[in-house]
Amino acid sequence: MSSVSYHISSLLEKMTSTDKDFRFMATNDLMLELQKDSIKLDEDSERKVVNMLLRLLEDKNGEVQNLAVKCLAPLVSKVKEPQVEAMVDILCTNMTSDKEQLRDISSMGLKAVIAELPLSASGLSLTASVCKKITSQLIGALAKQEDMSVQLEALDILSDMLGRLGGALVGFHSSLLSSLLPQLTSSRMAVRKRSILALGHLVPCCSPALFSQLTAHLLKELAKNPQTSLTRTYIQCLATVSRQGGHRVGEHLEKLIPMVVKFTSVEDDELREYCFQAFEAFIRRCPKEMSPHVAMVTKLCLKFMTFDPNYNYDDSEEDEDSMDIEDRADEESDDEYSDDDDMSWKVRRSAIKCLEALISTRRDLLLSFYSSICPALLARFKEREENVRADVFAAFSTLLRQTRGGSSHQGLITAGSELGTSREEEPAVALLKKQIPVIVKALHKQLKEKSLKSRQGCFCLLTELAHTVPGSLEEHIPALIPGIVFSLTDKSTSSTMRIDALSFIHVLLISHSPQAFQPHMQMLLPAVLACVEDTFYKITSEALLVIQQLIKVMRPQGQTGGSDPKPFINQVFPVTMKRLKATDIDQEVKERAISCMGHMVCHLGDHLGAELKGVLGIFLDRLKNEITRLTAVKTFALVSGSPLKIDLTSILPEALSVLGSFLRKNQRVLKLSTLACLTTLVTHHAASIKPAALEPVLSEVPPLVDESDMHVSQVSITLLTCMAKACPSSLAKISSSVLPGVFKLIHSPLLQGGALLAILDFLQALVESKATNLGYSQLLKSLMERFQSSKSSADVLHRQSYYSVARCVAALCSASPKETPATVTSLLQQVKNSSSPESARVLALLCLGEVGRNGSLGGSKEVQGVILEAFSSTNEEIKTAASCALGGMAVGSLNDFMPFMLKEISAQPRRQYLLLHSLKEVISACPGSSLSPHVESIWALLFQHCESQEEGTRNLVAECLGKLTLVNPAQLLPRLKQHLKAGSPLARSTVVTAVKFTIVDHPAPIDSLLKDCIGDFLKTLQDSDINVRRVALVMFNSAAHNKPSLVQSLLGTVLPHLYKETQIKKDLIREVEMGPFKHTVDDGLDVRKAAFECMYTLLDSCLEGLDILQFLDHVEEGLKDHYDIRMLTFLMLARLASLCPAAVLQRLDRLVEPLKATCTTKVKAGSVKQEFEKQEELRRSAMRAVAALLAVPEVERSPSMAEFANQIRSNADMASIYQSVQGGEGGGMGPTESMDMS
C-alpha cells in the first residue's frame, strides 16, 4: 500500500520540476498507474494528485496539459466524492476564465469527467451531486452574454451531460429549459445550433409538462412571424425536438402542422429545407397521428421535389438523337450561371427524403403511392444535382423494398422455376411491372454517366428491382448490358463501383433464364474476365461468382445443340486456372476459384480434354488442405453429380479415404457436406469404386448414427441405402458395425420424420440387395426381440418406438411380399395369446395396422374379430393400439373395413371414442377420391354424435368433420354453415371447431371458399355461450397462424370482439367452499387466455392490420391479470419491443409499473413449493420482457424506466435474474426476434 503512495509522491515531485520533459514523463507514468484496476490511493494521496493535475492544466507546455486532461477520466473512479467535486469546481471556474487555452483544456476535462461518471445505483449520489454542481455553474455561464466562446463550450458540455445523464438532472430540467430557450435568439448561429442540440438531449428525459411548455414556446414564437433567420432556427428546433421526443409530439401535431405548412410558402430555400425535415421527423416518429395530414404533406413534397427555379430541363429527352446537342447546351449554360449560390437542391433533397420516410412508414398506402409518388420519382431520375439524384434512387429503392416486403416470394427465385404461379400476384407487384419499361429507359442513360454516385445508385436500384420482381428484366437485358460493361471497363471507375456492377450482374444471372444472356456473351465475358485478373481481391472474388453463372449460360443444363461453347472456354479456362493454382491469394478468392472451376468441369467437362486430369489433381490437393477442404468437398459433390459423367478414376481411391477421414472431424457442416458428397459419388460412380475403397468410409459411419444428431444420422443412413443399392458387396460386414446403431436409433423416442423414412428405405434396400447374410427373418427378429421379453426391459421403451418399429416391419413386408402372409399369421397369434407380454401385443397390433395400411391384409373376418376382442381388453395401451390398427387397416382396404367401422360406432356407445379415433385416421390418410362413396354415411353418423356430453368425443367428431369437409369443400362447407344456425351450443361449438380443422398450413382448394364464409363462422365470437366463444377464438387463432390472408380483411370487425374477451368479467367469478376454505374460480379465464393467444399470433401474422396503441391498452391490462395471462403478455411485450419500439416507448411509463410490481413481489413465507416456483417463473418472464425493453434504443431516457433499471442493478436478487436471462436461455431474445422479421 505504502509503496504505491511512495511511487505516486515521487511522480508528483517530478511534476513540479522546471524541466518540461520531466513533467511530461511523470504525468505519463501517473496516467498509466491510474489505468490499472488494482491501484488504491489513501486520502492524502488523492488530494495531492487532484491538486497537482489541476495545476498542470495551467502548465505552459501544451503536451503536458493534454496528458493532465487524460488523467482526469480514470481518476473519477479512483478517488472519493469530495475530490471529484473539488475537481469539477475548479474546472467549472476555469471554464469562465479569460485565458482561451485554459478554457479549452478545462472544457475537455469536464467532458472527460462526465463521460466517466458512474451510471450504477451505487455511484448515483456522486453522479447527481457532480451534475448539479456542473449544471448550476453552466447555467451561470450561459447567462454571461459577453463571451460567445464560453457559451459555446457550456452548451457543448450540457449536451454531453444531458445525453448521458439526463435522468440525474431532473431537478434542473426547468431551469435548463428557461436558460436554453433565450439562446435560440442569439446573434451567433453556432450558439443557436448548439442550443438546439442541447434541447434535443433534454426532450426525451423531461416531464410531459416541460415538453408541452417547450412546444408552446416554439408555437408562440412562430406565430409572431419573426424574421426569416429566427424562423429557420425555430423550425429546425422543432424538427430536432420531434426526432428526439418521438411520440410526445403527436398530441401537438394539430397545431404544429398548419404552422409548418404556412412557412413552406416563404421564399427562402433553407427555411423550406428545415420545414421538410420537420415533416420527415413527424412522419417517422408519429405515423399514426400524421394520418390525417399525409395527403397534404405528399402534395407539398411532390410540388417541391421539382423545385428548380434556375434551370430549365429540356423536354426533348424523348428524342434520343438530341443527346449531344443537349450536352453542348449544358456546357454553355454552365459558363453563364454559377451553382454556388443556388440552394434549391436542398429543398428538393429534403422533400424527397420526406417522401422516403412516408414510403417506409406507411406500407398500408402502398397502392396509392404507385399512382401518386412512383411517377413523380421516375420523372426525377433526370435530376441534375448528383446528391439529390442519389436520394431519388434511395427513395425508389425503399418503394421496391416495401413492395417486396409483402409479396409472397421472399428473396430471389432462381430462373426457370415457376414464378409465383402458386399464388395470385400482389396488386402492388402488378403495378410495378407496368412501370418497368419506364424505369429501365430512365436508368439506362444514367448507366453511361460520368458520375460514379449515380451509377452506383442505378445498380442498387436495379438489384432491388431484380429481387422484387424476379425475371422481369428479361426483355430489357440488351439495354442494360452496354451500361454494365461500361462500368466494368471504364478506367475512372472505382473499386466499389466495379463490385456493385458485378454483384448486379450476379443477381441478374440468377434471377433470369440463361438463354437471355447468350447473345451478349461476346460483350460481357471479356469485361468480367478482366475483373478476375484485377489486383484487388474483392473484385476478383465477385467476378469469379459471375463467371460461375456465365458458365451455365455457355451451356444451360438440359439444353442440347445451341451455340458452341468452345471459344468461350478457351478464354475462361486459363484465367480461372491461374487463380485456382495460386496459393498466395485471399481465402475468399481461393474458395470461389475452386467453386468456379467445379462448375466448369460439371457443365463443360467434355470440352476440357487433357486439362481435366490436372484440374482434378488440384481439387484433390485442395481437399487435403484444411482451409479449402469444405469448398472442395462441395465441388466434388457437384462434379460427381454432373450429367456429363466425368471420369474420376484417377483420383477416386485417394479422395474416398480423405473423405472418410472427414467423417471423424468435429465440424458439423463438413460432416454433412462429406456425407452428401459420398452419396453422390456412390450413386453416380459405383462402377469404378472397388468395395475395398469404401472401407475407410464405412468404418467411420457407426458413430454418426446416433440420436444426439438426427439430421447427421438421416444423411448417414441415406448413404448406406445408396451403397446397398449401388454396390451391395461393400456392406458384407455391416451386421456387427452399423446395424446395432440403426436398431438403437429405431428404438429411440426421438425418431420421426426424415430420419425414420431414411431407415425404412435402408431396410428395404438391405432386404432387396440380399448382400448381407441378414435376410428378412433376421431383420424382423432384431426389430421385435426387445418387445418380446418380460416386463422390466419393455418398460424402458417409449411409445414412439412402438410406432417406429411397426413402420419398419411394414416396410420389410412390402419389400418381400412372399413372407407377408406368414408374418401376419404370427402377429395375429401374438395378439390372441393373452399370456404374451403387453408390449408384444401392443406392437403386434400396431404392426398389423401398418402392414394393413399397405393393403396386404385383405378384409379377413379373423382380423376384425381380433380387433374387437382387443377393444374389450382391460389394458388402455392395447385398446389404443387396436384403434390405431383398425384405422390403418381401413386405409389399406376401405371397402372391407368402412361399413364395419360405421356399424360398430352406432352399435357400441362405450367404444365410440376408440372407433372415432380409427375413423379420424382413415379420413386423414385416405385420398379424397376413394372416400367419396362413403362421405354421406360418415357425415350423417358424425352429426348424430356432435352433441355428445364428452368434450373429448366432440373434439374428435369436429376433427373428423373438418377433415371430411376437405374432401368435397364446395358441397360440405355450406352444409357446415347451415348447422351453425340450428342446434344447441354444443353442436355450434363442434361446428366451429370443425372449421379450425379445415384450415391447413399449405395452399388448398378450400381456401377461396373459406375466405368467403369465414366471416360467418367468426360471428360466433358474439355467441351467448362462453364455450362457443372460446372455440371461436381458438379457430380464429388457427386461421391467423396458418392462413393470415383469410382473416386480414376482417380484422376491423373482429378485433373489437376479440378485445372484449380479454376483459375480466366479474359475473363469471364464483366462490367455491372447500371444507373450511373458500376458493375463487374464474370461469372466464380460458376464454381470456384464448383471446390473448390470438393477440400474440396476430403480432406475427397481421401486424399491419393492428392499431398498436389500442393493442397495447389490452396488453397493459393483461400484465395485471392471472398467472397464465401475465406469462403471455410478457412474451407479447418482448415481441412488441422489437417490432414496434416507437409505440412501446410511447406507453412505457404505464407498462413499467406492472413489470416492476411482478419483479419485486415476494411470496408469503408459509406458501407451498408450487407458489414459489410460479412466482420465480413469473419474475424470470417479466425480466425477459424488461431485457427486451432495455434493448430498445433511447429507452433509458424515460425517467421511470431509468429508475427501474437502476433498481435492478442495485438489487442483487433482481440483478442475478436479469443476468441469467441475458446470458442464458433468454439472452438471444433480441436478435432472434428481429431475424423472424427479416
Side-chain angles (χ1 to χ4, degrees):
M1 200 69 152
S2 55
S3 65
V4 175
S5 309
Y6 177 72
H7 180 49
I8 297 241
S9 58
S10 71
L11 288 177
L12 293 174
E13 205 172 309
K14 287 179 189 163
M15 288 180 194
T16 55
S17 160
T18 48
D19 186 338
K20 67 174 191 299
D21 291 343
F22 267 43
R23 298 201 300 278
F24 178 85
M25 289 313 295
T27 315
N28 195 35
D29 290 349
L30 178 65
M31 184 173 77
L32 296 174
E33 279 298 322
L34 289 173
Q35 281 166 351
K36 293 178 186 165
D37 286 336
S38 55
I39 185 170
K40 297 250 189 316
L41 296 174
D42 54 41
E43 222 164 298
D44 193 37
S45 304
E46 279 181 16
R47 203 169 44 253
K48 284 180 183 164
V49 169
V50 172
N51 292 339
M52 181 52 80
L53 285 174
L54 291 172
R55 198 158 63 190
L56 287 180
L57 289 182
E58 301 183 44
D59 197 281
K60 294 184 184 66
N61 182 290
E63 288 176 334
V64 176
Q65 283 183 327
N66 283 337
L67 271 181
V69 166
K70 285 183 185 163
C71 290
L72 294 178
L75 201 60
V76 173
S77 54
K78 302 282 190 297
V79 299
K80 295 192 180 59
E81 202 169 311
Q83 306 304 335
V84 180
E85 289 182 19
M87 193 153 74
V88 169
D89 264 342
I90 293 180
L91 287 172
C92 287
T93 318
N94 289 350
M95 269 274 311
T96 53
S97 145
D98 305 335
K99 299 178 193 157
E100 190 178 348
Q101 196 179 3
L102 181 59
R103 267 206 319 261
D104 290 350
I105 210 86
S106 301
S107 74
M108 279 167 64
L110 270 177
K111 284 179 191 166
V113 169
I114 289 168
E116 285 299 316
L117 284 174
L119 283 170
S120 62
S122 52
L124 268 186
S125 61
L126 164 70
T127 303
S129 62
V130 169
C131 285
K132 282 173 190 160
K133 266 206 167 35
I134 299 180
T135 313
S136 49
Q137 300 256 19
L138 290 181
I139 291 177
L142 281 180
K144 291 185 183 164
Q145 292 292 344
E146 61 271 11
D147 194 348
M148 292 283 181
S149 52
V150 174
Q151 285 184 321
L152 284 174
E153 288 295 354
L155 286 166
D156 223 8
I157 292 168
L158 264 181
S159 285
D160 271 13
M161 197 154 59
L162 282 168
R164 188 164 181 270
L165 310 159
L169 298 173
V170 175
F172 281 99
H173 282 176
S174 57
S175 53
L176 277 171
L177 186 64
S178 45
S179 57
L180 284 171
L181 289 177
Q183 304 300 330
L184 293 176
T185 55
S186 163
S187 54
R188 192 163 162 196
M189 284 312 292
V191 173
R192 294 188 198 179
K193 284 210 166 131
R194 288 196 190 174
S195 307
I196 291 176
L197 274 177
L199 281 169
H201 286 301
L202 174 65
V203 162
C205 49
C206 72
S207 66
L210 270 187
F211 187 82
S212 303
Q213 189 186 328
L214 168 60
T215 348
H217 175 82
L218 291 175
L219 273 169
K220 189 176 85 203
E221 293 300 322
L222 283 170
K224 295 177 186 166
N225 279 346
Q227 62 197 61
T228 314
S229 83
L230 267 179
T231 310
R232 277 187 219 149
T233 301
Y234 287 131
I235 297 274
Q236 212 180 350
C237 184
L238 196 56
T240 303
V241 164
S242 169
R243 262 194 299 277
Q244 300 288 344
H247 57 86
R248 288 177 164 192
V249 184
E251 52 210 69
H252 305 281
L253 276 185
E254 288 305 321
K255 298 178 204 144
L256 291 172
I257 297 273
M259 193 73 83
V260 183
V261 169
K262 183 179 82 179
F263 287 115
T264 52
S265 53
V266 177
E267 288 296 328
D268 179 276
D269 290 350
E270 274 194 76
L271 177 56
R272 281 181 179 146
E273 179 192 10
Y274 297 149
C275 285
F276 281 114
Q277 284 175 351
F279 283 141
E280 184 190 350
F282 297 154
I283 289 168
R284 285 199 188 279
R285 292 305 192 167
C286 324
K288 187 185 168 205
E289 291 87 341
M290 272 301 281
S291 295
H293 311 287
V294 164
M296 158 108 72
V297 174
T298 310
K299 194 170 144 196
L300 281 171
C301 289
L302 293 175
K303 175 180 165 190
F304 282 103
M305 69 190 275
T306 58
F307 173 72
D308 201 352
N310 305 317
Y311 187 82
N312 182 22
Y313 289 90
D314 249 353
D315 289 332
S316 60
E317 290 180 64
E318 306 309 314
D319 189 2
E320 290 289 319
D321 304 331
S322 64
M323 258 319 261
D324 37 43
I325 311 167
E326 255 180 59
D327 276 356
R328 246 175 308 178
D330 264 6
E331 283 159 30
E332 287 162 27
S333 66
D334 280 351
D335 297 335
E336 313 149 11
Y337 161 71
S338 153
D339 249 354
D340 295 345
D341 46 2
D342 175 26
M343 301 298 274
S344 65
W345 66 274
K346 288 189 167 180
V347 180
R348 298 198 297 281
R349 185 178 66 175
S350 56
I352 287 161
K353 287 200 156 173
C354 186
L355 282 177
E356 186 184 355
L358 198 57
I359 296 167
S360 60
T361 51
R362 297 301 300 262
R363 230 198 126 245
D364 48 332
L365 302 175
L366 193 59
L367 294 178
S368 67
F369 291 157
Y370 268 104
S371 53
S372 58
I373 298 179
C374 174
L377 285 173
L378 281 171
R380 290 312 297 166
F381 281 8
K382 63 183 180 193
E383 166 67 55
R384 67 194 170 96
E385 186 67 42
E386 183 179 63
N387 290 329
V388 184
R389 201 183 314 138
D391 284 322
V392 175
F393 289 156
F396 203 85
S397 296
T398 306
L399 183 66
L400 293 175
R401 265 194 298 280
Q402 289 288 57
T403 310
R404 182 162 95 238
S407 70
S408 49
H409 32 250
Q410 289 286 334
L412 274 180
I413 293 182
T414 31
S417 65
E418 318 295 289
L419 291 188
T421 44
S422 57
R423 311 184 178 198
E424 71 272 29
E425 195 168 65
E426 293 244 342
V429 179
L431 289 172
L432 173 60
K433 279 188 172 169
K434 289 181 191 149
Q435 300 286 357
I436 287 176
V438 191
I439 299 173
V440 175
K441 189 172 179 209
L443 289 181
H444 96 101
K445 286 182 207 163
Q446 302 276 355
L447 285 174
K448 293 283 187 67
E449 285 273 334
K450 290 195 197 76
S451 149
L452 292 182
K453 202 168 182 184
S454 293
R455 280 190 278 159
Q456 261 175 313
C458 288
F459 283 131
C460 292
L461 200 154
L462 284 166
T463 307
E464 280 296 340
L465 188 58
H467 278 297
T468 308
V469 197
S472 59
L473 291 170
E474 185 135 352
E475 65 232 47
H476 306 290
I477 287 173
L480 294 171
I481 294 283
I484 296 172
V485 172
F486 170 69
S487 275
L488 292 178
T489 50
D490 177 32
K491 292 281 177 285
S492 64
T493 302
S494 67
S495 308
T496 34
M497 180 74 256
R498 283 209 178 99
I499 292 169
D500 280 353
L502 286 165
S503 72
F504 169 60
I505 309 176
H506 185 245
V507 169
L508 207 57
L509 282 162
I510 57 180
S511 57
H512 294 77
S513 71
Q515 285 76 2
F517 296 93
Q518 281 174 340
H520 310 287
M521 283 293 282
Q522 303 282 359
M523 237 180 121
L524 251 183
L525 195 61
V528 180
L529 286 172
C531 291
V532 177
E533 296 279 22
D534 198 278
T535 48
F536 182 38
Y537 78 95
K538 278 220 151 113
I539 294 180
T540 308
S541 84
E542 276 297 329
L544 282 166
L545 264 189
V546 173
I547 292 286
Q548 189 171 308
Q549 292 300 326
L550 284 174
I551 288 169
K552 295 177 187 171
V553 175
M554 295 176 201
R555 184 202 274 169
Q557 260 182 349
Q559 184 189 332
T560 47
S563 57
D564 177 30
K566 195 78 188 158
F568 298 131
I569 295 175
N570 294 339
Q571 293 175 42
V572 176
F573 183 79
V575 178
T576 317
M577 191 63 177
K578 180 180 159 192
R579 290 293 178 187
L580 180 66
K581 281 181 172 168
T583 48
D584 54 347
I585 48 172
D586 188 84
Q587 166 85 5
E588 195 178 352
V589 180
K590 273 186 198 168
E591 289 179 357
R592 287 189 176 167
I594 296 170
S595 179
C596 181
M597 189 56 95
H599 274 79
M600 198 179 301
V601 175
C602 172
H603 289 266
L604 307 162
D606 49 348
H607 286 281
L608 295 181
E611 301 280 7
L612 183 62
K613 204 165 180 182
V615 173
L616 293 175
I618 297 179
F619 281 167
L620 190 57
D621 286 344
R622 298 290 173 268
L623 193 64
K624 294 173 185 170
N625 180 334
E626 190 174 340
I627 293 173
T628 52
R629 64 188 180 192
L630 184 58
T631 314
V633 169
K634 289 177 180 170
T635 306
F636 256 110
L638 182 75
V639 171
S640 56
S642 163
L644 302 175
K645 302 272 182 284
I646 307 293
D647 176 21
L648 300 175
T649 41
S650 58
I651 57 164
L652 254 183
E654 197 173 348
L656 282 171
S657 75
V658 175
L659 288 168
S661 70
F662 289 167
L663 296 177
R664 304 193 260 278
K665 303 284 184 242
N666 264 343
Q667 195 184 352
R668 186 167 183 268
V669 187
L670 181 66
K671 266 189 221 170
L672 285 170
S673 302
T674 306
L675 287 165
C677 175
L678 285 164
T679 307
T680 319
L681 275 171
V682 171
T683 312
H684 293 275
H685 298 271
S688 40
I689 299 178
K690 297 186 178 68
L694 281 172
E695 277 186 9
V697 173
L698 268 174
S699 61
E700 299 301 339
V701 171
L704 299 180
V705 181
D706 184 71
E707 64 178 29
S708 61
D709 189 334
M710 277 299 176
H711 186 55
V712 171
S713 303
Q714 179 183 337
V715 185
S716 310
I717 290 169
T718 310
L719 170 62
L720 291 171
T721 311
C722 287
M723 287 184 182
K725 286 177 181 167
C727 34
S729 52
S730 61
L731 293 183
K733 301 177 185 160
I734 173 182
S735 54
S736 56
S737 58
V738 184
L739 275 182
V742 174
F743 287 127
K744 192 175 168 197
L745 195 60
I746 293 173
H747 294 137
S748 158
L750 306 175
L751 181 69
Q752 55 177 346
L756 177 57
L757 293 175
I759 289 181
L760 300 180
D761 283 349
F762 172 56
L763 291 174
Q764 285 179 320
L766 266 188
V767 172
E768 285 161 7
S769 71
K770 303 195 169 55
T772 57
N773 48 3
L774 287 166
Y776 173 87
S777 47
Q778 284 98 322
L779 287 171
L780 197 61
K781 182 168 175 269
S782 311
L783 279 170
M784 299 182 73
E785 64 188 349
R786 274 191 72 183
F787 296 84
Q788 313 292 5
S789 60
S790 60
K791 242 176 149 39
S792 57
S793 68
D795 275 351
V796 191
L797 292 166
H798 189 272
R799 180 179 260 179
Q800 178 61 41
S801 56
Y802 286 89
Y803 292 103
S804 305
V805 171
R807 296 273 303 270
C808 293
V809 170
L812 289 176
C813 285
S814 64
S816 44
K818 285 185 193 149
E819 309 275 355
T820 309
T823 308
V824 170
T825 315
S826 82
L827 287 171
L828 285 169
Q829 285 312 112
Q830 197 132 42
V831 179
K832 286 180 186 167
N833 177 4
S834 52
S835 60
S836 58
E838 175 204 325
S839 57
R841 293 176 68 194
V842 170
L843 179 66
L845 278 166
L846 291 174
C847 290
L848 283 170
E850 289 301 328
V851 173
R853 192 185 291 270
N854 300 337
S856 39
L857 273 187
S860 74
K861 281 275 176 281
E862 186 188 0
V863 174
Q864 294 179 1
V866 167
I867 293 289
L868 284 178
E869 196 182 321
F871 275 157
S872 346
S873 162
T874 50
N875 187 313
E876 287 303 319
E877 293 292 328
I878 291 180
K879 284 187 196 173
T880 313
S883 154
C884 289
L886 180 59
M889 295 169 196
V891 171
S893 47
L894 204 59
N895 297 333
D896 293 325
F897 281 96
M898 187 51 97
F900 163 71
M901 261 164 71
L902 295 178
K903 186 178 103 221
E904 286 294 319
I905 291 177
S906 304
Q908 302 277 357
R910 294 187 57 189
R911 297 181 190 161
Q912 209 172 53
Y913 187 77
L914 293 168
L915 289 158
L916 281 170
H917 251 298
S918 308
L919 183 61
K920 181 191 84 176
E921 181 70 27
V922 178
I923 298 174
S924 308
C926 274
S929 51
S930 53
L931 266 179
S932 302
H934 305 281
V935 166
E936 284 306 320
S937 47
I938 300 178
W939 186 266
L941 176 80
L942 288 171
F943 267 105
Q944 286 168 19
H945 297 289
C946 73
E947 297 183 19
S948 161
Q949 290 303 315
E950 288 289 322
E951 190 179 357
T953 307
R954 282 204 311 277
N955 283 343
L956 262 181
V957 168
E959 190 171 345
C960 291
L961 277 173
K963 291 185 170 166
L964 195 60
T965 307
L966 292 172
V967 175
N968 184 352
Q971 271 189 343
L972 298 179
L973 198 60
R975 282 167 65 179
L976 260 187
K977 205 164 105 182
Q978 287 305 114
H979 281 284
L980 265 186
K981 299 188 179 108
S984 61
L986 291 178
R988 287 202 300 280
S989 74
T990 307
V991 170
V992 175
T993 309
V995 176
K996 181 183 90 170
F997 289 104
T998 62
I999 303 166
V1000 283
D1001 57 0
H1002 49 83
I1006 195 172
D1007 294 349
S1008 53
L1009 301 166
L1010 256 181
K1011 192 162 190 178
D1012 297 335
C1013 67
I1014 196 160
D1016 299 318
F1017 289 111
L1018 285 173
K1019 282 183 185 151
T1020 49
L1021 284 171
Q1022 304 161 52
D1023 198 284
S1024 55
D1025 183 82
I1026 187 169
N1027 193 38
V1028 177
R1029 295 205 299 277
R1030 181 181 63 79
V1031 293
L1033 283 166
V1034 174
M1035 183 264 286
F1036 177 56
N1037 191 1
S1038 171
H1041 179 71
N1042 293 315
K1043 288 262 170 65
S1045 56
L1046 292 177
V1047 294
Q1048 264 157 350
S1049 55
L1050 300 169
L1051 286 180
T1053 50
V1054 174
L1055 282 176
H1057 302 298
L1058 168 64
Y1059 290 150
K1060 193 173 159 195
E1061 295 304 329
T1062 62
Q1063 291 154 11
I1064 297 176
K1065 297 188 174 63
K1066 293 275 189 294
D1067 53 330
L1068 292 174
I1069 297 175
R1070 54 197 167 87
E1071 274 199 348
V1072 180
E1073 289 193 6
M1074 299 174 96
F1077 303 109
K1078 283 189 176 173
H1079 182 62
T1080 46
V1081 176
D1082 182 352
D1083 293 327
L1085 179 62
D1086 284 345
V1087 181
R1088 287 207 304 285
K1089 214 151 82 181
F1092 277 106
E1093 280 165 3
C1094 285
M1095 284 171 66
Y1096 185 69
T1097 305
L1098 288 173
L1099 274 186
D1100 268 343
S1101 57
C1102 307
L1103 185 65
E1104 286 147 11
L1106 301 175
D1107 172 345
I1108 291 296
L1109 293 175
Q1110 189 188 2
F1111 188 91
L1112 272 165
D1113 288 338
H1114 299 283
V1115 172
E1116 192 187 327
E1117 289 307 306
L1119 289 170
K1120 305 166 193 160
D1121 204 325
H1122 181 269
Y1123 167 81
D1124 292 340
I1125 289 172
R1126 271 151 74 192
M1127 293 293 275
L1128 259 174
T1129 44
F1130 292 146
L1131 280 175
M1132 275 192 248
L1133 201 51
R1135 195 89 187 81
L1136 279 161
S1138 68
L1139 293 176
C1140 351
V1144 173
L1145 287 176
Q1146 206 159 333
R1147 285 292 159 81
L1148 201 54
D1149 296 345
R1150 283 158 52 179
L1151 295 168
V1152 168
E1153 280 316 307
L1155 284 172
K1156 197 190 271 186
T1158 304
C1159 289
T1160 49
T1161 308
K1162 292 268 191 293
V1163 186
K1164 288 178 194 157
S1167 302
V1168 289
K1169 185 182 170 199
Q1170 284 92 328
E1171 281 298 312
F1172 281 104
E1173 284 171 358
K1174 245 181 176 180
Q1175 185 56 34
E1176 194 54 32
E1177 199 40 60
L1178 262 181
R1179 290 175 71 184
R1180 293 182 72 77
S1181 197
M1183 204 56 93
R1184 277 190 204 103
V1186 174
L1189 286 175
L1190 287 173
V1192 176
E1194 304 172 8
V1195 75
E1196 287 208 41
R1197 288 178 174 177
S1198 144
S1200 53
M1201 192 69 197
E1203 185 197 335
F1204 184 33
N1206 283 323
Q1207 192 179 342
I1208 292 173
R1209 291 185 192 111
S1210 55
N1211 177 323
D1213 185 24
M1214 286 203 279
S1216 74
I1217 297 180
Y1218 181 73
Q1219 286 303 317
S1220 70
V1221 164
Q1222 281 284 74
E1225 72 281 32
M1229 199 87 168
T1232 52
E1233 294 289 357
S1234 54
M1235 269 163 61
D1236 286 355
M1237 290 305 295
S1238 62

